[in-house]
Every structure is written in C-alpha cells, then in structure tokens.
Amino acid sequence: MKKFEETFRLKSENKYPFVRFVRAEYSRSENKLLIYFLATAQAVDGGILSDAVKEDIVNTIVPLLPDEITFSVKYIKVHADEETVRVRLMQAITKYVGVAAQAIKPEDVSVRVDEYVIDVRIKAQKAYFSLLNTEDVRDNVVSYLNDNFVENVNYEIIEKYITEEEKRKISEKSLKTVENAGLNCNISVNDDGTVKEDGNHVFTDLIDPSQDTVVLYEQVRQIKATPVENLVGKAYMNVLPMYIGDIKDTLETATVCGKVAGLEKREYKNKNFGLNLPTGGRFKKNTTDEKLPMYSFFIDDTTGKLAVVYFAKDTNVNALDLSLREGADVVISGKLGERNGIRQILADKMWLADVDYSTIKTELPAKPVSKNYYLVHPEKYFEESQCGMDELMDGKKEVAPYLKGKTFVVFDLETTGLDIGRCKIVQIGSYKIVDGKIVETFSTLVNPGCHIPEDTSAIHGLYDKDVENAPDFKEIVADFYKFSRGATLVGHNAFGFDYPILVRLAKKCGYNFDNPVLDTRVIAKNQYRLPSYNLQNLSKYFGIDLECAHNADFDAIATAKLFLILAEKLK
C-alpha cells in the first residue's frame, strides 16, 4: 500500500498534497478495484478537489494498473483540527504503548496543524521517554495518524522532569496503597517518578493519584493489578482479581482481569424506556433513544478465558469508546453466569489496569507436547497466490506486517450439535500459517462415540457411517496439540463456538489449549460495514472459493484465506 502511495506522488509530481491514498478493495470475482483517498475538508468544501482535479487523479492512476483492471476512486473527507488530531494521537499511543499512555497529561501534549503538516510534541517522564521514542513506536504512531489525516506528521518526544510536589504525591499514594494491603514498608521516589519499596523497584509512575485502595484476600489466589483508568462503575478498586481458572460454579460474583479479545459493540433494547424510574435505580431514564450500547468480549489472564458482557445504562460511554480496545489489560467485577454453554461475567465495574502477570503461578500443562505425531500427520500445503494492490502493480505479493514472524493455526470443527457444553467433535480441519504463508494442513474425521442427529448431519453431511472407523478425539488430541503449540489459534466464530468446545474436550484428556485466539468474524465486523458476517457471505464478498460450506476442511481453508486478507489492516 505504501508503494502505491509513493508511486502516485511521484507520477503526479506531488500536485495534490490535499489527498492521501489510504486503502484499496479489490473484488476478484468482478475484477473491480475501489481506491480510497483521504481528502482535507478544506479541499472538499472549498472546491479545490474539483471534477477536473478528480479526473486528473484518475488519469494519473491509469498507467499504474494493468489494463484489464476496472477501478473507481472514492474520497473520504477528514478534518485535521488540533482537537481531532489530539484524540487520534492519544488513541495511537494507547494502542502501541498500553497503560504507559496514562502517564501523559493533556498539558504535556502540543499539536499544531499548518500547511499540510501536523507537528506533535510530547513531554514524557524519564520512565516513559525511551519507550515513546523507540523507532517502532514512532513509526507506528506516525503511520496511525497518516491513516487518519492527509497532512504529513512530525513527531517529537521531549524528556519531562517531575517536581518535588509530584514526588510527594507519588509517595503518599504508594504508601496508602501498601498500608491498605496490610503491608508495612518504606517508600521512596526516584527522580524519574518510579517508586522503591524497601529498596526494591515495585511501582510505576503514580502522579496525580486518586483515592483508590487495594485489599488483599488470602482465601483465593489473586493477581497483582493496579487500576489506571476507571471505565465503568465506582472509581476505586477494593479487591484484587482472582484467577479465572479458579472460578467455581458456586461463585455468584467475582473480580477478574485479563487481556481483551474479540471486542464487539452492539445495541440492545432498553426495556425501561419511557418508564418513570425511581431515583437511584439501575437504569437512568432514557429520553433520547430506546436503544443502548452493549459491549461483549473475552478476557484471558493465562489461567483461563471468560466472556464479558456490559449493558450500558445510558448513552454516555465515552470512556469505553475511547479507551477499551483489543489487547488492553482490564479488571472486571460483576455477576457470573452462563449463556449458550459459555461461562460469562456481567460487568458492573471495569477498569483499565496495569496487570502484573508475573504474579500468576500457573501449573504446566498436564501432558507435555509429544515429540512425534502418533496418528494424524500434517501435510504440506502450497498456497495459491492472492492479489493485493502492490501485486497488481508489479506481480509480487507483499506479506502483511502483522503476519511477519508469527505462526497461526486456522481451524474449524464440525460437531454433533450446537450445544457447546455437550456436543462432540466429528471433524477437525486446520491450516498452519507461518510468515503469512499457508504451509501445512491437519485434517481428520473423529468418532464422537454417539449418534449424530439427522438434522445435524443434514448440515455438514457427516453421518454415523462416515465416522464409524475414525479415531476417537482422545486418540488424536495429542497430535492437534502438537500441531498448534506456539501458534495463535484463528477461527470464524471461534470465541462463540469452536474454541470453547476444543478447550472443554481437550481438558478432559489432560491437554490445555491456552493459545491466544483470534476470531475472523469479530475482525471483519470491526473492519467492514456489511449486511452479514457469516463465512459464506464474507467469502463471496472477498472472492474466496468456498466449495462446500459446513465442512471443516473447506471452512478452515476459506477462513485462512479470509484471515490473510483481514490481516492487511491489523497492527
């Protein structure tokens, strides 16, 4: 994508600084290319981006593409006022440095927009100066802003020194925290704002401390977590999160933590709309719209995964929309329950947090990874080339940066039914992706040891006779465990179906599939506005062949190709 932008600038002799190429969508089936440019609000509203200029831009693009490609250009108007840039800047920093972004105060950020240039200057304490000034962070932040604005970005980090008054606040906050935890120690503050407890460096910067307190309980295993931003409910966190793996069905409420995955925002109907609710009730009277936001995602603390659902009480969810994101560390407090066989927590309090995962003492998997495959052996796979913008220009396929140096196992299951708490597996299809290339496939039928209902067989085409000579799941789980070790698992609706089934059945055999998980349905929903996000419709939209839907092998390869496309926008 960057190559096309550079070539366009060169061919147009940089006559159009008020537009920037941002992305292209190619329909293989229709052989059509839709090219998106950002355009400044001044150029659009002021008539600079005239019909004649648009025609000239099209004429500049024509020689860059093969003659057989039909294309059109779409312009997205963007405003680069200082406040908008500031919001996007903080989103970028939060995305790439996590909780360290909370140490940046509004007064420490300077933004100036002038003549197609955005100047950004940030003052950062010594503890964060090096982090914000690394080449990777600089490149990622600048790239993020370039994806949102036409202007070129200048990014500068300046070291900030803290005052004695700020040191005093840090010391008071840190001392109160450890006292409330029932500890007794001496606190000292370094010049860079970090804290030492009895000579050991234990706290990060705590400037502008709130009145939060932390209580430790000895009855359950707990994880050290420091709240950095209140998102929902009370501003203070008075209990440390427990291990998700320690949750028992008898628990009614719990406080847990982990990394966010599969974040989705939808709407739900407020049943209390129009009612005269009592003061202090759970819901505020909604006088504007009977639809309210609903957030759902999974959290993973390395001991287990838990579904999270939050029903907003009103439309004021600015903190969630701005700060809650994929990969963020959060602490959740709420009521435990189960929906469609998936254990979940209904959140009533939520914080962004600095989670110390080193305080988690996890057991090794009950069974080690075997040295050899016993029954099901992977086979080599030769991936068909896929078409992208740069490939259209010079015939070469560039691997998405997100995929480089990583291994993914894309998998799909066919089962005896839709009840994820009881159904059995009848087929596993999976493909391994290394450095953006599909290199291996792992496939097997599985004998579930029970009758496959006829209505289920009618969907995936597998009947009792098809699996009667297939191995049991317990006979092949070790092979699939070996195949997927060290990889991120990827599936379509993985969070809601395939992954919880795999985990449930594997644990009965002594295997712990604790891999990171990605869900292509969630990724697609976050990237595109489409009428449907099922695998068949997404395959059709992206021109992916799906010869036999609801067959694990065909669904898995279609999901793998879909993931390779969606990964172009992942960072």
Side-chain angles (χ1 to χ4, degrees), residues 37-42 44-45 75-79:
F37 279 88
L38 300 180
T40 64
Q42 296 91 332
V44 175
D45 298 337
Y75 298 93
I76 304 171
K77 183 170 72 171
V78 292
H79 298 266

Side-chain angles (χ1 to χ4, degrees), residues 81-111:
D81 59 278
E82 293 182 359
E83 188 56 36
T84 302
V85 173
R86 184 184 295 269
V87 170
R88 295 297 186 192
L89 171 65
M90 294 311 299
Q91 288 176 341
I93 293 175
T94 301
K95 178 180 178 67
Y96 295 112
V97 302
V99 296
Q102 306 302 321
I104 300 174
K105 305 300 177 183
E107 61 269 21
D108 294 334
V109 179
S110 171
V111 175

Side-chain angles (χ1 to χ4, degrees), residues 5-248:
E5 166 71 9
E6 292 174 348
T7 305
F8 172 78
R9 292 291 183 198
L10 180 64
K11 295 296 183 182
S12 66
E13 299 178 344
N14 206 24
K15 291 187 295 184
Y16 312 113
F18 44 85
V19 298
R20 180 193 295 277
F21 168 75
V22 64
R23 72 177 189 275
E25 296 176 0
Y26 176 63
S27 172
R28 187 189 297 270
S29 59
E30 298 179 359
N31 195 35
K32 290 183 180 179
L33 186 67
L34 181 57
I35 302 175
Y36 289 87
F37 279 88
L38 300 180
T40 64
Q42 296 91 332
V44 175
D45 298 337
I48 300 175
L49 188 60
S50 63
D51 291 340
V53 169
K54 291 179 180 179
E55 183 178 355
D56 194 32
I57 290 175
V58 168
N59 292 334
T60 303
I61 296 174
V62 168
L64 303 182
L65 301 175
D67 293 339
E68 63 272 16
I69 296 293
T70 301
F71 75 93
S72 59
V73 179
K74 183 175 182 179
Y75 298 93
I76 304 171
K77 183 170 72 171
V78 292
H79 298 266
D81 59 278
E82 293 182 359
E83 188 56 36
T84 302
V85 173
R86 184 184 295 269
V87 170
R88 295 297 186 192
L89 171 65
M90 294 311 299
Q91 288 176 341
I93 293 175
T94 301
K95 178 180 178 67
Y96 295 112
V97 302
V99 296
Q102 306 302 321
I104 300 174
K105 305 300 177 183
E107 61 269 21
D108 294 334
V109 179
S110 171
V111 175
R112 189 170 68 90
V113 182
D114 185 35
E115 285 297 321
Y116 305 119
V117 175
I118 295 174
D119 289 315
V120 172
R121 178 177 293 185
I122 302 172
K123 294 180 180 179
Q125 296 154 30
K126 185 177 181 180
Y128 301 110
F129 172 80
S130 298
L131 175 63
L132 292 168
N133 211 30
T134 62
E135 184 175 352
D136 283 347
V137 171
R138 293 174 65 91
D139 290 347
N140 284 329
V141 171
V142 170
S143 177
Y144 187 94
L145 293 177
N146 282 338
D147 287 343
N148 285 274
F149 303 106
V150 174
E151 291 76 6
N152 294 316
V153 178
N154 294 323
Y155 173 91
E156 182 180 7
I157 304 296
I158 301 172
E159 187 171 345
K160 174 187 176 183
Y161 298 93
I162 66 173
T163 65
E164 292 300 320
E165 176 62 17
E166 289 170 332
K167 287 185 183 180
R168 183 185 64 78
K169 288 183 178 181
I170 295 171
S171 179
E172 289 178 352
K173 165 64 177 180
S174 303
L175 188 59
K176 183 174 181 179
T177 299
V178 297
E179 286 176 348
N180 277 283
L183 304 175
N184 183 18
C185 61
N186 295 319
I187 294 292
S188 61
V189 182
N190 298 324
D191 290 338
D192 62 0
T194 55
V195 178
K196 286 187 177 182
E197 173 190 326
D198 287 335
N200 296 314
H201 178 236
V202 294
F203 290 105
T204 55
D205 178 38
L206 293 170
I207 287 180
D208 277 354
S210 66
Q211 299 302 310
D212 297 356
T213 59
V214 177
V215 179
L216 301 171
Y217 294 108
E218 297 180 356
Q219 289 84 349
V220 295
R221 295 187 297 177
Q222 294 183 301
I223 304 168
K224 183 177 178 181
T226 304
V228 295
E229 181 182 347
N230 175 238
L231 300 180
V232 172
K234 295 180 179 179
Y236 61 89
M237 190 181 91
N238 61 358
V239 62
L240 288 177
M242 66 183 295
Y243 289 24
I244 291 177
D246 286 350
I247 292 176
K248 301 294 186 292

Side-chain angles (χ1 to χ4, degrees), residues 503-539:
V503 169
R504 173 175 59 83
L505 295 176
K507 281 188 175 181
K508 291 181 178 180
C509 302
Y511 291 93
N512 180 21
F513 281 81
D514 55 356
N515 312 54
V517 182
L518 294 174
D519 192 324
T520 50
R521 176 184 172 275
V522 174
I523 298 172
K525 199 169 184 180
N526 289 334
Q527 291 183 357
Y528 296 90
R529 299 180 67 88
L530 300 173
S532 173
Y533 297 92
N534 64 41
L535 185 58
Q536 293 95 314
N537 287 337
L538 286 171
S539 296

